[in-house]
Every structure is written in C-alpha cells, then in structure tokens.
Amino acid sequence: MTGSKELNVGGLLLAAGSSSRLRQPKQLLEFKGKTLLRHAAEALAESICDPVVVVLGAETEKSPHEIEGLSVVPCINENWKSGMSSSIKTGLAKLVEIAPEIDAVLISLCDQPLVTAEMLNCFGKKFAASGANVIAAKYNGVAGVPALFSRELFGDLSRLDGDKGARDLIRNRADLVTIDLPEAAFDIDTPADKDLLDS
C-alpha cells in the first residue's frame, strides 16, 4: 500500500449505543461546552478522513442535531441493541456505498473527547508509510480504538458479531502496528467516569 498513490481513508464514528453502564446517553454528555458526540464528530470531520460516517442508534431524536453543520454522513443502525459489531457493519456498508474505492477505514468512538483531529491524522500517515493492515491506538498497556483497518480487512469487519466490536481483529494480529495515544484512555463508561467530565 505504500508508494506515490494517495491513500483515501474513510472515517467511522460509533455513537449508537445506549450507554447502559452509565444509565444515560453518553453521546449527549457535555465536556468543555460541547457534547461528547460533537467533540468526536468534529475530530473526524477535521481530520484527513473523507468521507466520514456517524452511526447513530439509541438517541436518534437529539443526536442528529449535534452533528449538524459538519461534513459527516449520519447513518442509523436499527439493530444497535445487538452490539457494537452491528454498528461497525452498518457504518462500513454506508462508507463503501459512498466511497467504494477507499483504501482504509478509521474507527473511533464518541466517548474519547481528548482525541483530536491531529491525533487521528497520525493513523493515516502511519498507514501510508507502513501499509499495515491494522494500526491501533495503544494506551493503558493494550491496543484499541481509534484504529485503522485496511481495505483487505473490510470482509472481516463485515463478519463481526456481538458487542466486542473489532477488539479481536486488533489484538490477535502478529503484524499489528500501534500508535501511543494515552489521551484515548480517557473515556466515559460509568457514573464515576462522568464525574471526570466536570473536574
């Protein structure tokens, strides 16, 4: 995948879940004057990713308003209750429909507000330089999202099942390339985490 060819990376923001552990929709929690959904969507929209698909599900009444005015395409996952994998499959299908020639997809989550466009751009640069099939963020001693997957793995992503998302695709690869991204460790999953937003 290396060489003079300009690589096209699509962005996929997963924001469809109901945040059951948090007991309220994390998408709409505010951090520094913006919702978590807006923070994450802006980061992808301002990055090298094009196009960008935002997968919504549990909060389809208010969430669409949070991404208005951004260069993103909303996509509704009607099966969001079945887990994160369904959002990946739904969003990837939409991405490929819009941009069938994309070389990779960069997947991010709506609850990592410290992840910026500049950080996301590092994945595209690493992809262009290495041609790796998976490039994942590394934080707290593990590899996870944000993570970039080359076109070669679109079939594997489309066959995911359950609520683990792409975790196994990331962590079971001997050829995994990682980017140190401690900012991605700051995420919101529980009421205790929510308190960190105001601290």
Side-chain angles (χ1 to χ4, degrees), residues 104-181:
V105 58
L106 178 56
I107 298 177
S108 66
L109 304 178
C110 77
D111 66 347
Q112 296 173 313
L114 300 185
V115 174
T116 65
E118 291 75 16
M119 295 173 190
L120 295 175
N121 286 343
C122 293
F123 290 81
K125 293 174 184 176
K126 182 76 77 171
F127 178 54
S130 69
N133 281 324
V134 181
I135 301 169
K138 187 175 182 180
Y139 46 92
N140 289 347
V142 298
V145 287
L148 179 147
F149 299 87
S150 75
R151 185 180 188 86
E152 283 78 1
L153 293 181
F154 283 8
D156 292 324
L157 290 170
S158 297
R159 289 188 290 272
L160 292 174
D161 188 37
D163 200 36
K164 292 192 294 185
R167 183 185 308 162
D168 290 343
L169 276 183
I170 294 172
R171 298 178 184 174
N172 294 336
R173 299 193 64 86
D175 59 346
L176 174 67
V177 172
T178 60
I179 294 175
D180 288 331
L181 197 66

Side-chain angles (χ1 to χ4, degrees), residues 9-193:
V9 178
L12 180 55
L13 176 59
L14 306 181
S18 63
S19 317
S20 57
R21 283 187 292 170
L22 188 63
R23 299 192 291 273
Q24 66 184 107
K26 71 173 68 175
Q27 299 94 323
L28 303 177
L29 291 178
E30 288 206 358
F31 176 66
K32 295 185 177 179
K34 296 179 183 178
T35 61
L36 294 183
L37 175 55
R38 184 75 183 191
H39 272 284
E42 284 182 349
L44 265 181
E46 293 167 4
S47 75
I48 61 169
C49 294
D50 184 34
V52 171
V53 168
V54 178
V55 183
L56 305 174
E59 284 296 321
T60 54
E61 182 177 338
K62 296 180 180 178
S63 290
H65 300 295
E66 293 301 320
I67 57 176
E68 286 181 351
L70 300 178
S71 297
V72 301
V73 178
C75 176
I76 305 300
N77 175 16
E78 301 290 352
N79 298 314
W80 61 267
K81 290 183 180 179
S82 66
M84 190 182 296
S85 294
S86 66
S87 288
I88 292 175
K89 292 187 283 190
T90 300
L92 181 60
K94 188 67 173 180
L95 264 179
V96 173
E97 175 190 326
I98 299 169
E101 302 303 317
I102 58 172
D103 298 297
V105 58
L106 178 56
I107 298 177
S108 66
L109 304 178
C110 77
D111 66 347
Q112 296 173 313
L114 300 185
V115 174
T116 65
E118 291 75 16
M119 295 173 190
L120 295 175
N121 286 343
C122 293
F123 290 81
K125 293 174 184 176
K126 182 76 77 171
F127 178 54
S130 69
N133 281 324
V134 181
I135 301 169
K138 187 175 182 180
Y139 46 92
N140 289 347
V142 298
V145 287
L148 179 147
F149 299 87
S150 75
R151 185 180 188 86
E152 283 78 1
L153 293 181
F154 283 8
D156 292 324
L157 290 170
S158 297
R159 289 188 290 272
L160 292 174
D161 188 37
D163 200 36
K164 292 192 294 185
R167 183 185 308 162
D168 290 343
L169 276 183
I170 294 172
R171 298 178 184 174
N172 294 336
R173 299 193 64 86
D175 59 346
L176 174 67
V177 172
T178 60
I179 294 175
D180 288 331
L181 197 66
E183 292 85 357
F186 179 77
D187 62 3
I188 311 301
D189 285 318
T190 67
D193 295 333

